[in-house]
Structure formats: C-alpha cells, structure tokens
Amino acid sequence: MEIIEGIQTRRSVRKFQDKAVPHDVLEQVIAAAAYAPSWKNTQISRYIAIEGRETIDKLAEQYAPFNARTLSTAPLLIAQTCVTKRSGYERDGSFTTDRGAGWEMYDCGIAAQTFCLAAHEAGLGTVILGIFDRPALEKHLHVPEGQELVALIAVGYPDQEPAAPRRKAVSDLLTYAG
C-alpha cells in the first residue's frame, strides 16, 4: 500500500471480527509506530495491550461506558501512555516553548496516527478513543509513575468498511502568507 492510499483509506473502525490479533502482528505495528517523529527524538509513547473479551468488557463498563458498544467487539485494546516531563522540556525541567507540556499530547497524537496507519497496512482496523475515566483507569492498569494515560485504541480485524466522510476542500484548509 502506498502512503497516500493508506492515509486516504484508513478509517475509524467501530465493529470488529471475532478474531484475535496475533502478538507478532501487534509487535510489527508497535515497531512501525516507534518511527513516529517526536520532540528531540524523546519517543515518549508507550503501549499497554489488553486482551480477552471478559477483561475488555469489564474495563469498558467500569471506565469507558461511552465507548462500550465499540469495545464490545474489539479483541484488543491498546492503552497509549506517555512518559511525562520530556517532550517540550529542557534538561533542567523548564519548558522550551510557551506550549508547555502540550508537546506531550502532540507527540502522542503523531504516534497514535502512525500506529493506526501501520495497523491498517497489516489489515487491522482501529479507532482512537478519548472518553474514559483517566485517573481510575491509570490506577487499574498500574500505569507507572512518570507516565500518563493518553488514549485508548480499539484494534481488530474490521467487520465493517466505513465510508469516507466528506473532506474540506484544500481552499478551505490552506492559506498562503507573505
């Protein structure tokens, strides 16, 4: 698959086949996601793989009820975390720019999209989820000190092919300065 084709055909998938994602396939996706660019190559994204129907259903019920329907068919859930106080920081702990710690989320967004594109290339569907009880889920997952839970990514073999939503025209998105 060519890059532009992958970008144009990757969709948020919310219904998955009842088929496990092999560990070697997940590891290939993570290896590709490691190539996502990051602030001063800090590579702050980390991933926790959650498997098992009962485990995912319980997690959805307790910590992500808004996304329970999507998670009800996902054979794999990835909890993306980030190592804090690295991206956007100087060695002395001060911020490099007026964006403060905002670069952490920016870098994790890049890594999440890279993860999703790599998964798409491997024949997997994904959807990035942001509505969940972050503090409680961090505790439940034993997220290490110095890390923060950023997003959940449902992963599996798609059981649907969502149509592409309408896109804005380039003229609506691009302006030239100077």
Side-chain angles (χ1 to χ4, degrees), residues 9 20 33 37 51 67-68 82 92 94 110-111 117 119 145 148 159 171 176:
T9 60
E51 300 174 297
N67 293 301
C82 73
D92 66 4
S94 64
I110 296 169
L117 288 169
E145 187 173 332
E148 178 180 322
D159 197 23
S171 60
Y176 290 93

Side-chain angles (χ1 to χ4, degrees), residues 100-118:
W103 281 104
E104 293 173 346
M105 296 301 112
Y106 191 81
D107 280 357
C108 284
I110 296 169
Q113 176 68 347
T114 304
F115 176 99
C116 290
L117 288 169

Side-chain angles (χ1 to χ4, degrees), residues 58-117:
K58 184 177 178 183
L59 186 145
E61 180 184 321
Q62 292 181 347
Y63 307 107
F66 180 84
N67 293 301
R69 176 183 264 169
T70 297
L71 293 176
S72 72
T73 63
L76 174 64
L77 180 62
I78 297 296
Q80 181 193 30
T81 70
C82 73
V83 177
T84 60
K85 297 189 171 112
R86 287 196 188 156
S87 183
Y89 289 80
E90 292 299 316
R91 290 189 187 272
D92 66 4
S94 64
F95 294 125
T96 303
T97 74
D98 66 350
R99 297 284 182 201
W103 281 104
E104 293 173 346
M105 296 301 112
Y106 191 81
D107 280 357
C108 284
I110 296 169
Q113 176 68 347
T114 304
F115 176 99
C116 290
L117 288 169

Side-chain angles (χ1 to χ4, degrees), residues 13-172:
V13 174
R14 291 176 175 84
K15 189 172 181 189
F16 303 93
Q17 297 175 29
D18 184 17
K19 179 179 175 184
V21 176
H23 287 188
D24 65 318
V25 173
L26 175 59
E27 290 166 10
Q28 290 170 12
V29 170
I30 296 292
Y35 281 88
S38 62
W39 178 276
K40 296 183 181 180
N41 197 32
T42 49
Q43 302 179 47
I44 63 170
S45 283
R46 302 293 185 270
Y47 308 91
I48 301 168
I50 303 154
E51 300 174 297
R53 180 76 279 126
E54 189 175 307
T55 302
I56 293 171
D57 287 345
K58 184 177 178 183
L59 186 145
E61 180 184 321
Q62 292 181 347
Y63 307 107
F66 180 84
N67 293 301
R69 176 183 264 169
T70 297
L71 293 176
S72 72
T73 63
L76 174 64
L77 180 62
I78 297 296
Q80 181 193 30
T81 70
C82 73
V83 177
T84 60
K85 297 189 171 112
R86 287 196 188 156
S87 183
Y89 289 80
E90 292 299 316
R91 290 189 187 272
D92 66 4
S94 64
F95 294 125
T96 303
T97 74
D98 66 350
R99 297 284 182 201
W103 281 104
E104 293 173 346
M105 296 301 112
Y106 191 81
D107 280 357
C108 284
I110 296 169
Q113 176 68 347
T114 304
F115 176 99
C116 290
L117 288 169
H120 179 50
E121 171 74 16
L124 298 169
T126 57
V127 61
I128 300 169
L129 307 169
I131 302 174
F132 51 88
D133 183 346
R134 185 181 57 81
L137 190 51
E138 283 179 340
K139 186 175 180 179
H140 176 81
L141 294 174
H142 305 289
V143 172
E145 187 173 332
Q147 289 185 34
E148 178 180 322
L149 181 59
V150 176
L152 299 176
I153 306 173
V155 183
Y157 292 94
D159 197 23
Q160 64 176 184
E161 290 189 35
R166 191 175 70 75
R167 299 294 179 201
K168 294 182 186 297
V170 171
S171 60
D172 293 331

